[in-house]
Amino acid sequence: PKRSSILLLCDRARHSPSRTVDMPKKTKGSKSATAGGRFKKGPMMDGFRTIEEPVYLSVKEENISPFTTPVEAFTFEPEPDMVVSNFKNGDRERKIYCNIELTDEEAASIKALQEEAAKQGLEFFPSIVIMAGGFLSP
């Protein structure tokens, strides 16, 4: 199956556990939705401009077990009712976005959100970008 744009966002937002970065310095002319333009520009992430995110937690490589993530995390396939909750009143709520294919409606909504953010010249932290789908209602 095709990988959704949200999946790619999740993949790209991960940091190396031993990576440490100094707090970004101010940049001119950036219009940041999260930080008032105080951070360096980051890479484009699936249609959204990003800014570098400060390191909130840093762990030395030697302090991480080689088998930190259980194999079930990679092999688990959620049932459809785990991905989307359907309520008696007809409302729907998506619970899982990462590693799950977007519907055509969701993909169109993400595209519209990307276009609006670009039109307004907004930039976001990668940790916000990966949640883009969660800000949309079906």
Side-chain angles (χ1 to χ4, degrees), residues 4-118:
S4 71
S5 60
I6 297 300
L7 168 63
L8 295 174
L9 289 168
C10 293
D11 289 346
R12 291 181 191 152
R14 292 192 179 112
H15 298 296
S16 165
S18 62
R19 178 178 175 228
T20 58
V21 178
D22 293 331
M23 283 294 284
K25 295 180 175 36
K26 283 186 176 184
T27 60
K28 291 183 181 178
S30 68
K31 186 175 180 186
S32 166
T34 55
R38 299 180 307 151
F39 297 93
K40 291 180 185 177
K41 291 186 181 291
M44 284 290 288
M45 287 190 161
D46 294 317
F48 292 97
R49 293 190 320 208
T50 66
I51 53 177
E52 282 190 15
E53 197 155 2
V55 174
Y56 300 104
L57 177 67
S58 179
V59 178
K60 291 181 181 177
E61 188 85 30
E62 63 264 18
N63 293 328
I64 299 175
S65 167
F67 302 106
T68 302
T69 305
V71 70
E72 291 84 2
F74 302 106
T75 60
F76 177 71
E77 294 278 337
E79 296 295 323
D81 65 332
M82 294 175 173
V83 177
V84 178
S85 293
N86 294 298
F87 300 104
K88 291 179 184 178
N89 66 358
D91 285 347
R92 300 174 61 229
E93 181 181 358
R94 185 184 261 269
K95 301 287 188 178
I96 302 173
Y97 287 89
C98 288
N99 302 325
I100 302 289
E101 185 76 24
L102 297 176
T103 66
D104 291 341
E105 182 183 348
E106 290 167 333
S109 293
I110 290 285
K111 179 80 172 150
L113 186 61
Q114 292 167 340
E115 290 169 355
E116 184 61 29

Side-chain angles (χ1 to χ4, degrees), residues 117-134:
K119 184 172 116 181
Q120 293 185 31
L122 298 175
E123 299 172 322
F124 304 91
F125 287 137
S127 60
I128 300 299
V129 170
I130 64 170
M131 298 185 298

